Amino acid sequence: MQSNHHSLRRPFQVMPFALLLLMILINVLWLEKVHGQGFIIPDREIDFRVPRPWQPDRRAYRIRELSIDANIKSPIATTTVTQVFENTGDVQIEATFVFPIPYDGAVDKMTFLVDGKELEAKLLPADKARQIYEGYVRRNQDPALLEWVGHGMFRSSVFPIPPGQTRTVTLRYSQLLRSDNQVVDYLFPMSTAKYTSQPLEKVSLRVSLSADEEIKSIYSPTHNIEISREGSKNAVVRLTAANVVPNADFRLVYDTAPGKIGASVLSYWPQDEDQGYFVMFASPQINPTQEQPLRKSVIFVVDQSGSMSGEKMEQARQAAKFVLNSLREDDLFNIIRYESRVVAFTPELERFNAETRDRALHFINSINAGGGTNIDEALRVAMGMVTTAEHPSFLLFLTDGMPTVGEVNELKIAQNCAAANAHRARLISFGVGYDVNSRLLDRLSRENFGQSEYIRPNEDIEVSVSNLSKKIASPILANVDLQFKFAQESPTAGEVVNRVYPSPITDLFAGVQLVVVGRYRQAGAATVLLKGKVGDQDQGYEFPVEFAERGSDKPYPFVRQLWASRRIGEILDLIDLQGKNNELIGELTDLSIRYGIVTPYTSYLADENEKVNQLADSNRNFQTTDRNLSGLQTAGGRGGFEQRSFKGELKAAMAAELSPGMGGQGGMGGMGFDSGGQAATGRKRLEQFLPGSEGIMESGVVASDNMSGNVSQGVRKVGNMTLYKRGKLLIAENATQFDLEKDANKIKNVKRFSDEYFELASKNSADENRLIAEQGSEELLIVLRGQAYLIQ
């Protein structure tokens, strides 16, 4: 089973197939006035708004459960949706089930059931649907439904929900999915379930995939998913959550291709930017032929110092056994234990077989805690055992403390390790608990082609090590390199493909998909060359791809956010390990504002009590970021641990979240969900970095002392864009450069719910209308088609 982390996080641009709005728009009538009639929007002057968890109303409903079951046999998806609605108010609801259709004819075989009985539904064209949406907004002074203006609509006939009772609504439909070369795109509008008076008790999703060709990559940019493979042409995707409010539509992309390795590219180039964004997926064959995986060398270096005593030591022994049992015949291995002294299982690497396995298990069982921590010697001894680069070598290094014996200087330890690594071994560091020198571990990993993993005190060492060991079990291609060749390369384009992450790309493993992001300066047809080593032989693969034109309608804006997350992680890594410079600080500040990615060092962006014009004050923002970056001087302790863990999540981001890894903790819903509060997104994780919030940061990362509490209240991710809240003003990400006083002559005022307001909405994109729909009692500053507007 695979887990997709990944961490985009919000609804995306409308796709050219049916988009179902799974919500109820109700005609609220007092019981004595019910005449059996109903409207999708009340046709009389009443004060009703679709419910939100933070706006309780006596005339409201909640969605108790949401279940989605989809079967996809490309290019057709058949989806069954079941929702349990409960009338939480004290008046009867005359309910109409409503769903917008952006492109007529994209949905077929649609069936509605309410408590098992089929109901009639009708299709309304976009112009008729617009009258209904706008009528609701005008009467109820609620912009919630503006995002659907311009879309057609299906609506069911009326059914009643008495106070305190429930209705189970089932919807079945088939749809033609969008396909971009070999990439298939499935979108389910889960975020419409945010219109509920309370969090959903249960959300479950199951998507069954079946294809004629081999299914290579499976990826969700919006949610953490579990993937079960059932052969090379079938897979099942699952997602479950409890007590949450969906804040993102569910999106799933997968590609199909024959051959040993498959690769595909999705790209997006906004009109107002000078470069585009791309994400590339590369996946090996799921069930390869009898071809033997590459031989590998694995050296497990385990800390047995006194601080590892008790449960940690037992977990470390179990982790070593898992690594050992994951080896294949013909792999090479060794096990090194260290405290003040360094002791190896054997003086050289051993070939794995039944006999060496049994002897190694005896060695593992003899590992006991006691003594100091001689990190320098342990690493040098381990690196010295790697004698060839003809196959990949992995050094799994586990420690729970600071170096206390031998060389203890961080820079010298890193230099000695790199000098001893003569054959490009990959060093994977496991930092256990808060006492490690996390900056040293990151430095070792970066300089030795690896990565760092951080294990909190309440987490199991064996689980973290075994998960990594599974991923590296079967190398397919070593020392991977990517090249892009364009059919007609422009001599003025400069470096056409640039800022590619991860960097470097090391190896490709069976059962593990590679996700690469980058920028590009030239659109059109191109060829991806994926090259590497198979033993001592060079091996290469070519894949035709297409990079989107500037301003095209390619519906992949999540790629932009995904790239920004990884780029910010890379910037933080450079500052952490090489020191601050003005260029990196400025870029970090600009990227955080432009993409709405809040880090501990730019957390002032999330403070709604900041001055209205703060976002436009580039000098002040630079200085605040610079000051907050002093937190990276903390090498150890919980403060250092949390910062490096956060940085690592950004560098390895698999989805476009507000801040990757911030969801799913302390009652938060996880990626794609909120716990029900408007400002829930990312708050819990961010608060860990703030002074006065349980004292986690000993040195204090953020200088502002007014930032504890609901820090993410000032930043909202809406669709593919970001809103900043400053008092009674909302500022769209594309308007942060405007100063309300200095630029007053450049800003046009528009009154909410006026004819001009609805004229703007009719010309907006879905993303732009989503931003406007977020406007409550606040004013909104936004740029639409090159003009700045203040909507009041």
Side-chain angles (χ1 to χ4, degrees):
M1 181 173 289
Q2 297 172 300
S3 178
N4 170 216
H5 298 291
H6 30 16
S7 244
L8 336 189
R9 169 132 203 175
R10 296 289 167 182
F12 297 112
Q13 181 172 326
V14 173
M15 303 293 296
F17 53 75
L19 182 59
L20 305 180
L21 176 57
L22 297 178
M23 58 174 286
I24 287 182
L25 300 178
I26 62 177
N27 187 6
V28 181
L29 300 174
W30 296 103
L31 287 175
E32 62 268 27
K33 295 183 179 179
V34 173
H35 301 294
Q37 64 181 29
F39 300 88
I40 206 165
I41 305 291
D43 64 351
R44 62 190 67 189
E45 293 296 332
I46 66 170
D47 181 19
F48 168 76
R49 292 190 172 206
V50 290
R52 279 83 154 181
W54 56 89
Q55 292 177 342
D57 194 304
R58 62 188 296 265
R59 300 163 301 178
Y61 65 85
R62 70 175 297 195
I63 303 172
R64 287 179 56 179
E65 297 181 16
L66 171 61
S67 173
I68 305 106
D69 195 318
N71 292 286
I72 300 177
K73 174 71 173 177
S74 182
I76 302 298
T78 301
T79 303
T80 299
V81 188
T82 301
Q83 287 183 274
V84 179
F85 291 93
E86 178 184 3
N87 182 348
T88 57
D90 57 10
V91 296
Q92 177 157 303
I93 295 174
E94 296 298 320
T96 302
F97 199 69
V98 179
F99 47 95
I101 303 272
Y103 293 89
D104 292 344
V107 171
D108 188 21
K109 299 179 181 178
M110 182 165 284
T111 305
F112 291 99
L113 299 172
V114 177
D115 289 341
K117 297 179 181 179
E118 187 169 346
L119 288 184
E120 180 187 0
K122 295 182 179 180
L123 172 65
L124 301 177
D127 55 349
K128 178 63 176 176
R130 176 180 175 179
Q131 295 175 21
I132 296 174
Y133 293 132
E134 288 191 4
Y136 168 86
V137 175
R138 288 179 188 273
R139 281 193 305 275
N140 296 285
Q141 302 287 284
D142 180 8
L145 304 187
L146 275 181
E147 62 182 285
W148 307 113
V149 168
H151 303 159
M153 173 196 292
F154 269 104
R155 65 173 179 179
S156 75
S157 55
V158 176
F159 56 94
I161 310 179
Q165 293 193 21
T166 63
R167 292 289 183 267
T168 298
V169 175
T170 302
L171 172 67
R172 299 191 187 103
Y173 63 96
S174 297
Q175 65 188 94
L176 179 67
L177 298 184
R178 181 187 179 92
S179 181
D180 192 341
N181 293 318
Q182 73 266 35
V183 178
V184 181
D185 196 336
Y186 174 74
L187 178 71
F188 180 81
M190 189 179 290
S191 68
T192 57
K194 66 189 174 186
Y195 297 121
T196 175
S197 63
Q198 300 173 39
L200 281 66
E201 293 178 359
K202 181 180 179 181
V203 176
S204 62
L205 177 142
R206 179 185 180 275
V207 181
S208 175
L209 305 177
S210 178
D212 296 328
E213 297 281 4
E214 296 175 9
I215 299 174
K216 289 297 200 300
S217 297
I218 303 174
Y219 172 74
S220 173
T222 56
H223 292 78
N224 294 327
I225 58 175
E226 290 184 347
I227 304 170
S228 300
R229 296 278 188 168
E230 300 175 352
S232 62
K233 299 180 181 180
N234 298 278
V236 176
V237 172
R238 291 182 174 87
L239 167 69
T240 58
N243 299 315
V244 295
V245 177
N247 60 26
D249 293 341
F250 175 79
R251 191 170 193 176
L252 184 74
V253 294
Y254 67 95
D255 65 359
T256 59
K260 185 175 180 180
I261 296 176
S264 56
V265 167
L266 301 178
S267 56
Y268 175 68
W269 192 343
Q271 181 64 48
D272 59 350
E273 298 194 36
D274 60 2
Q275 293 190 68
Y277 305 82
F278 75 88
V279 58
M280 189 193 88
F281 309 104
S283 295
Q285 202 169 25
I286 298 302
N287 292 323
T289 59
Q290 300 304 315
E291 186 176 342
Q292 183 72 13
L294 296 179
R295 173 196 282 184
K296 64 181 181 295
S297 295
V298 177
I299 306 171
F300 188 54
V301 184
V302 58
D303 185 346
Q304 64 167 129
S305 61
S307 58
M308 284 287 293
S309 61
E311 186 178 4
K312 283 196 291 187
M313 194 73 261
E314 177 57 29
Q315 290 179 3
R317 283 192 289 264
Q318 294 303 316
K321 292 176 182 179
F322 189 96
V323 172
L324 183 68
N325 291 324
S326 299
L327 297 174
R328 298 173 179 271
E329 293 282 344
D330 205 39
D331 282 343
L332 302 178
F333 79 99
N334 211 332
I335 300 168
I336 295 173
R337 66 190 190 204
Y338 71 96
E339 22 91 12
S340 302
R341 301 175 303 121
V342 177
V343 179
F345 166 53
T346 59
E348 300 175 335
L349 296 181
E350 285 279 357
R351 193 177 302 276
F352 179 76
N353 54 42
E355 187 270 332
T356 56
R357 175 186 175 276
D358 290 343
R359 289 196 290 116
L361 285 174
H362 179 74
F363 179 83
I364 291 170
N365 287 330
S366 70
I367 299 175
N368 292 296
T373 309
N374 194 344
I375 290 177
D376 181 63
E377 184 180 353
L379 290 172
R380 287 189 287 107
V381 169
M383 286 297 185
M385 293 182 177
V386 181
T387 59
T388 180
E390 290 185 0
H391 60 260
S393 297
F394 302 94
L395 197 160
L396 310 185
F397 174 68
L398 187 148
T399 183
D400 79 331
M402 302 276 191
T404 60
V405 176
E407 182 60 69
V408 297
N409 180 273
E410 176 184 325
L411 290 175
K412 289 184 178 179
I413 292 174
Q415 291 169 358
N416 292 343
C417 182
N421 188 2
H423 301 288
R424 212 174 188 273
R426 292 82 163 144
L427 192 156
I428 301 169
S429 302
F430 293 90
V432 181
Y434 297 137
D435 294 329
V436 295
N437 183 330
S438 52
R439 187 172 61 201
L440 169 61
L441 298 188
D442 276 11
R443 193 182 301 279
L444 289 169
S445 298
R446 185 179 181 92
E447 295 177 3
N448 293 279
F449 318 104
Q451 65 189 66
S452 299
E453 301 284 338
Y454 291 100
I455 306 170
R456 288 180 169 77
N458 61 341
E459 294 177 335
D460 194 320
I461 297 171
E462 181 186 359
V463 172
S464 296
V465 175
S466 61
N467 286 342
L468 192 283
S469 185
K470 291 175 189 175
K471 291 180 182 179
I472 66 173
S474 301
I476 297 295
L477 196 64
N479 301 337
V480 171
D481 180 55
L482 278 179
Q483 295 180 11
F484 298 84
K485 292 187 176 180
F486 285 76
Q488 296 181 337
E489 203 156 306
S490 169
T492 61
E495 188 180 9
V496 178
V497 174
N498 59 91
R499 293 193 170 181
V500 175
Y501 305 107
S503 178
I505 300 168
T506 52
D507 308 304
L508 198 58
F509 301 94
V512 180
Q513 63 190 31
L514 176 66
V515 180
V516 178
V517 298
R519 304 292 304 269
Y520 68 96
R521 289 190 171 94
Q522 181 178 327
T527 300
V528 175
L529 305 177
L530 192 154
K531 302 190 294 184
K533 289 278 189 180
V534 178
D536 60 353
Q537 301 295 314
D538 292 328
Q539 183 75 52
Y541 301 87
E542 293 189 0
F543 307 95
V545 298
E546 186 82 20
F547 286 89
E549 297 284 346
R550 185 173 188 172
S552 69
D553 60 353
K554 288 286 187 180
Y556 309 120
F558 70 85
V559 180
R560 176 179 181 267
Q561 195 80 3
L562 179 58
W563 175 87
S565 295
R566 291 196 183 181
R567 175 58 186 166
I568 287 175
E570 176 70 9
I571 291 172
L572 290 176
D573 203 35
L574 291 172
I575 292 174
D576 188 19
L577 302 182
Q578 299 177 12
K580 295 189 292 186
N581 66 59
N582 289 348
E583 184 177 352
L584 290 177
I585 297 170
E587 186 180 359
L588 171 62
T589 304
D590 291 343
L591 290 178
S592 295
I593 294 174
R594 190 188 321 160
Y595 299 93
I597 298 176
V598 179
T599 72
Y601 320 101
T602 56
S603 58
Y604 55 86
L605 299 177
D607 184 4
E608 67 168 314
N609 297 315
E610 277 279 6
K611 295 179 179 178
V612 168
N613 298 325
Q614 169 249 341
L615 294 171
D617 191 343
S618 56
N619 289 333
R620 180 176 180 270
N621 294 335
F622 177 94
Q623 292 169 5
T624 306
T625 304
D626 184 19
R627 184 169 63 252
N628 291 346
L629 283 167
S630 62
L632 285 173
Q633 296 173 9
T634 304
R638 190 169 182 182
F641 181 103
E642 294 289 359
Q643 290 182 89
R644 273 90 203 183
S645 178
F646 177 83
K647 178 183 67 174
E649 290 170 358
L650 283 167
K651 289 179 64 179
M654 291 291 286
E657 301 183 69
L658 175 65
S659 292
M662 284 185 170
Q665 301 190 28
M668 308 308 296
M671 196 172 74
F673 298 105
D674 280 341
S675 62
Q678 191 174 23
T681 304
R683 181 170 65 222
K684 195 69 178 179
R685 181 69 181 277
L686 184 59
E687 284 180 345
Q688 293 181 343
F689 295 94
L690 303 178
S693 58
E694 304 175 352
I696 290 176
M697 295 300 297
E698 291 87 351
S699 63
V701 170
V702 180
S704 308
D705 59 7
N706 62 341
M707 283 289 293
S708 59
N710 296 343
V711 296
S712 62
Q713 185 79 12
V715 179
R716 302 180 195 170
K717 291 301 294 184
V718 183
N720 306 303
M721 302 178 74
T722 303
L723 278 179
Y724 294 95
K725 188 175 188 299
R726 295 295 181 265
K728 292 296 184 180
L729 177 67
L730 296 176
I731 306 171
E733 65 177 43
N734 61 8
T736 57
Q737 71 274 25
F738 286 97
D739 183 308
L740 284 182
E741 296 177 0
K742 297 178 181 178
D743 300 318
N745 62 331
K746 302 177 183 178
I747 301 171
K748 187 173 182 179
N749 294 328
V750 174
K751 184 176 177 57
R752 275 213 302 175
F753 312 121
S754 64
D755 290 341
E756 186 178 10
Y757 174 86
F758 286 105
E759 182 66 21
L760 282 177
S762 69
K763 298 176 181 178
N764 289 344
S765 68
D767 278 340
E768 291 166 339
N769 275 334
R770 283 192 188 109
L771 287 180
I772 295 176
E774 280 290 307
Q775 188 178 5
S777 60
E778 308 97 340
E779 296 182 343
L780 173 64
L781 180 62
I782 187 172
V783 175
L784 301 171
R785 294 167 291 283
Q787 172 64 51
Y789 292 93
L790 182 63
I791 301 176
Q792 301 171 303

